[in-house]
Amino acid sequence: MRVVCLCLLSVHVGCILSALAAEESRTNTSANGSIHSIPGERIWQTDNEPVPPISSGNTESAEDVTRNFVSATLGSNMVLQRDREVTLWGYSTKGAIITTTLLLNTEESAAPPIVPVVLSTTATGDDGLWRQALPPQAASLEATSIKIKSSTGQSQTLENVLFGDVYICGGQSNMVFSIPGATNGTTEANKGNRYPHIRVFTVGQKTASKTPLPDLQTVEQPWSVANNHSLYTNVFYVNGGGYSHFSAVCFFFGRQVADGLGNKIPIGLISNNWGGTKIQRWQPQNNNGGDLYNSMIHPYMVGPMAITGFTWYQGEANAGGSSKAADEYSHLFPQLIQAWRDGFQVPNAYFGFVQLSTWCPPAQPQSVAELRQAQMAAMRLKNVGYSTNADMGFGCNIHPPKKQYCGRRLGNSALAIQYGQPIHWKSPSYCKVTTISELDLLVESRKENSNDGRLSVVVHFQDVSSDGLYMLETSYNAQVKGFTCQGKPAGTCAGAAVLLNGQGWVNAAISITGNDSVTLTAPAGYSTKDSIIATSYGWGSVPLMTLYDKGTDLPVLPWKEKI
């Protein structure tokens, strides 16, 4: 078996190592770039992210791979999936008898009686793998203990275990991006003290493998109760490539779900991600990738762990190239979703993803817009939700600190899809175009506040709430301090535009003309012969998005469509 242990020992070319100390007296730097400390928050100041190298590593025997008596994916303080048969697993000696004792509280009172449920199984296979199925348990805020013993003398007790819903949060650095780096990070971490029923776990980012591994080889953060300490570990690892913990998007998602369920259902969150990685590395090997799938995802499938669903924030590493890369992603992403669902044996598990935020790649800036659109191919599958972060960027910085928006939006999609709540979670998106004839233009030109006969089209949207649309004077992305669109390559900043036959793309004025529609109007000086043959909005790496839904405050998604 080949195991690759990776450490980020160098700084990415695009990173600048610098630090400004403000309220905090200690600032740690890492391979991700400079970190600015300001009162109450940390911001990762880098336009790029470290990319773990794909290395063949050292050839090691199967005996060199760690197999824990109880899988490293499990542990005290964890959440086990409710209302479903749950598998515990680990490794002992072949033929050993494994006894599992589940200590349950049978009623809610000051001193509930403890009723043990004793189960046993036999370790099978040359590797001593054992699996123990636990009977389905209802969600409970009452802690449970699970004692596991082997006839060989091995033993382990899982303390303070809750039954609830479990989610895995995957992707690259914007999912790794931790609460210490988020806007108002200290305040957000302190809020975590209100959620002891949320439990968090962070997979280590030090192991990749060309073959599926039987267990996690590195754990960054074992199962922990959510509080200001577990959510705000202010350590930035130079050699390990970690960005501290806990994942901001993952926690904000889980918190929204917990709140939406009345904080009566425990939520388990597993941060399982690695900065700078392409989607291919998170797929089974039959998709020409797989080294991180093998080391960080497959160990959960050995049981498999019973889960409710997944969240995903990834795609930057697959952008910045040709349109072919986006086309490829539109096929790879649905394949990943189905592969993960199949591996966990939950064929219709909820899967939510974040549509990419802003970033200025060194070449072909429109490739970010194309990747955003490629992500939406996943919506062909059942029980898939999304939240866009395209409107809450940080200029050319690939790591926007306002993770609350996309986390909350993603949580709402789960509440609607997984739990059936009547939440309008989808952003308005392009539906169709209605052209305006030459006669209509003449009539419009005679009206007060008209378009003076200029070329116009009406764009209609789907998924608009009954409250209709509103428009900002200035896009949030245009208000980022220190960022300007001036001097940026074409395709970086993008508002509304129309493609004129024989004339090319020109900027367009935008006005709300209906509950679910807007009018795009070309500049003066073009005749009716220069017909509009396509429209776009926000089709750039930094979309200047100004249209929002009044009822949900969700932005209209970027588009580029032919007429």
Side-chain angles (χ1 to χ4, degrees), residues 256-461:
Q256 185 71 8
V257 172
D259 286 343
L261 299 177
N263 290 301
K264 296 178 180 179
I265 308 297
I267 301 294
L269 301 173
I270 300 167
S271 177
N272 193 341
N273 31 64
W274 196 325
T277 54
K278 290 188 175 183
I279 192 173
Q280 290 89 335
R281 301 183 66 181
W282 296 99
Q283 295 182 293
Q285 286 180 305
N286 58 6
N287 288 313
N288 299 317
D291 60 335
L292 298 183
Y293 172 91
N294 289 336
S295 63
M296 300 173 72
I297 301 300
H298 181 268
Y300 284 88
M301 297 176 175
V302 174
M305 177 176 280
I307 62 167
T308 297
F310 311 90
T311 63
W312 178 257
Y313 194 158
Q314 189 278 338
E316 298 92 341
N318 289 87
S322 64
S323 298
K324 182 180 178 181
D327 291 339
E328 183 181 32
Y329 197 95
S330 69
H331 295 90
L332 291 176
F333 189 25
Q335 290 173 9
L336 176 141
I337 294 172
Q338 203 55 57
W340 284 24
R341 287 172 166 177
D342 291 345
F344 282 86
Q345 299 178 22
V346 189
N348 291 311
Y350 165 82
F351 197 108
F353 67 91
V354 178
Q355 191 185 49
L356 296 186
S357 190
T358 63
W359 174 43
C360 301
Q364 298 184 335
Q366 287 191 351
S367 65
V368 180
E370 292 170 351
L371 205 289
R372 290 190 193 106
Q373 188 62 33
Q375 290 179 294
M376 300 304 290
M379 296 303 295
R380 297 194 300 261
L381 302 177
K382 292 182 178 179
N383 297 335
V384 173
Y386 70 87
S387 71
T388 186
N389 207 26
D391 64 322
M392 290 293 170
F394 202 40
C396 287
N397 192 315
I398 201 171
H399 298 128
K402 294 181 179 180
K403 294 292 194 286
Q404 291 89 338
Y405 291 91
C406 62
R408 182 170 60 248
R409 293 167 179 175
L410 203 60
N412 282 337
S413 78
L415 290 170
I417 295 170
Q418 180 63 34
Y419 303 99
Q421 296 191 4
I423 297 175
H424 191 122
W425 64 271
K426 289 184 178 180
S427 283
S429 61
Y430 178 94
C431 180
K432 65 179 181 179
V433 159
T434 302
T435 58
I436 299 178
S437 67
E438 184 173 355
L439 178 61
D440 291 333
L441 286 173
L442 180 61
V443 173
E444 287 292 324
S445 67
R446 294 172 178 172
K447 293 181 179 179
E448 187 177 358
N449 300 321
S450 72
N451 294 326
D452 298 324
R454 289 180 289 167
L455 292 171
S456 300
V457 292
V458 177
V459 179
H460 301 267
F461 304 111

Side-chain angles (χ1 to χ4, degrees), residues 50-111:
V51 180
I54 300 178
S55 170
S56 60
N58 299 315
T59 301
E60 300 183 20
S61 66
E63 288 72 20
D64 294 321
V65 175
T66 299
R67 293 174 174 82
N68 295 282
F69 172 55
V70 175
S71 170
T73 63
L74 311 173
S76 294
N77 303 311
M78 75 176 301
V79 172
L80 289 173
Q81 183 62 44
R82 62 174 170 132
D83 299 333
R84 195 183 309 169
E85 186 175 83
V86 169
T87 299
L88 304 180
W89 73 97
Y91 298 87
S92 184
T93 302
K94 182 179 180 180
I97 304 300
I98 311 299
T99 302
T100 303
T101 304
L102 181 62
L103 301 177
L104 295 173
N105 295 317
T106 60
E107 60 183 62
E108 295 184 6
S109 64

Side-chain angles (χ1 to χ4, degrees), residues 5-23:
C5 293
L6 306 178
C7 293
L8 299 182
L9 300 177
S10 60
V11 178
H12 192 280
V13 174
C15 299
I16 304 172
L17 290 176
S18 64
L20 299 176
E23 182 180 74

Side-chain angles (χ1 to χ4, degrees), residues 455 498-506 526-534 563:
L455 292 171
V498 293
L499 177 61
L500 302 181
N501 188 23
Q503 299 291 336
W505 286 97
V506 296
Y526 294 99
S527 69
T528 54
K529 296 180 181 179
D530 303 315
S531 60
I532 297 175
I533 59 176
I563 296 178

Side-chain angles (χ1 to χ4, degrees), residues 124-178:
T124 60
D126 293 335
D127 58 1
L129 172 65
W130 61 267
R131 293 186 178 95
Q132 178 63 67
L134 302 183
Q137 302 294 324
S140 177
L141 299 175
E142 295 289 336
T144 296
S145 293
I146 304 173
K147 296 182 178 181
I148 305 168
K149 293 184 178 181
S150 171
S151 58
T152 63
Q154 297 166 293
S155 66
Q156 185 171 333
T157 300
L158 309 184
E159 304 278 4
N160 195 28
V161 174
L162 301 178
F163 284 88
D165 290 344
V166 181
Y167 290 90
I168 291 180
C169 303
Q172 57 183 103
S173 65
N174 269 309
M175 185 63 88
V176 184
F177 190 105
S178 56

